[in-house]
Amino acid sequence: MSLKVRPATADRWDDLVQVMGERGDPSRCFCQYFRLRGKQWSDASPATHRDALHAQLHSDRPPGVLASDESGTPVGWCAVAPRAEYPRVIASPNWRGADPEAWVVTCFVVPVAHRRQGVAGELLTAAIDLARTHGATTLQACAVDVGQTGKISSASLYRGPLSIYLAAGFEEVSRTSPSWVLVSRDL
């Protein structure tokens, strides 16, 4: 599949909404889970999350990247931003040992019809470029080691499989369980 992956900007809002879909976790979360904690998260509605991501698209720095196929159909999203913008990442034991100045990849959304076609890997490459363009010197993520998890639901792969990070030059930093792997790459 030939993909075009670009920063997610306000003019691509309709594409982002299409990728998030109308059911499942992405349609309710709109990549706000790591940006909120406690009551902020539990008291917010899906519409609030949607509005928050829409507002983030209007900042000077896109909150992630979007992929489209050769026909222009949106086929994937990857959230990437400075670690400081993700209070849940800062508080999580799964991210212990993370560089406080690093940028982080928190999630991928690839609609069912476009999975297992290399979309996540292309999104990660573009996320690396976006972070580098905005001054990041380190990019980190908390990957899923599917080799250690056995059968795993696609919903549980939102953080990205370890294999795509390793293929993109990331190195393992630590593990808080067999399947939760903190990875890092110097930019």
Side-chain angles (χ1 to χ4, degrees), residues 25-70:
D25 292 337
S27 69
R28 293 184 297 275
C29 178
F30 272 83
C31 280
Q32 300 307 299
Y33 180 75
F34 289 100
R35 291 180 180 270
L36 303 170
R37 289 188 63 209
K39 286 190 72 57
Q40 279 187 312
W41 171 257
S42 59
D43 289 351
S45 68
T48 302
H49 298 156
R50 180 183 167 120
D51 292 346
L53 183 56
H54 188 255
Q56 291 156 14
L57 293 179
H58 289 85
S59 73
D60 291 338
R61 185 186 26 77
V65 294
L66 273 166
S68 300
D69 67 14
E70 58 277 349

Side-chain angles (χ1 to χ4, degrees), residues 24 29 37 52 62 66 83 87 90 105 111 124 127-128 131 152 161 167 181:
C29 178
R37 289 188 63 209
L66 273 166
R83 182 177 187 263
I90 293 167
V105 170
L124 181 56
I128 291 167
I152 187 168
V181 185

Side-chain angles (χ1 to χ4, degrees), residues 69-182:
D69 67 14
E70 58 277 349
S71 71
T73 301
V75 297
W77 153 261
C78 176
V80 59
R83 182 177 187 263
E85 293 183 16
Y86 295 116
R88 194 176 294 266
V89 166
I90 293 167
S92 173
N94 293 315
W95 290 83
R96 284 204 182 108
D99 178 348
E101 301 301 316
W103 278 48
V104 297
V105 170
T106 56
C107 68
F108 293 86
V109 177
V110 178
V112 173
H114 306 287
R115 293 181 184 157
R116 298 190 173 273
Q117 299 175 42
V119 175
E122 294 293 324
L123 287 164
L124 181 56
T125 297
I128 291 167
D129 291 342
L130 178 68
R132 186 182 293 126
T133 297
H134 288 278
T137 57
T138 305
L139 186 59
Q140 297 186 317
C142 201
V144 180
D145 186 347
V146 295
Q148 297 294 318
T149 60
K151 186 124 174 99
I152 187 168
S153 72
S154 59
S156 297
L157 285 173
Y158 70 92
R159 295 175 283 123
L162 178 60
S163 60
I164 67 164
Y165 291 104
L166 296 177
F170 285 74
E171 295 180 359
E172 184 175 324
V173 173
S174 64
R175 289 179 183 245
T176 54
S177 76
S179 65
W180 283 79
V181 185
L182 180 63

Side-chain angles (χ1 to χ4, degrees), residues 2-13:
S2 175
L3 297 177
K4 183 173 188 177
V5 187
R6 298 176 300 187
T9 52
D11 61 319
R12 305 219 36 228
W13 173 244

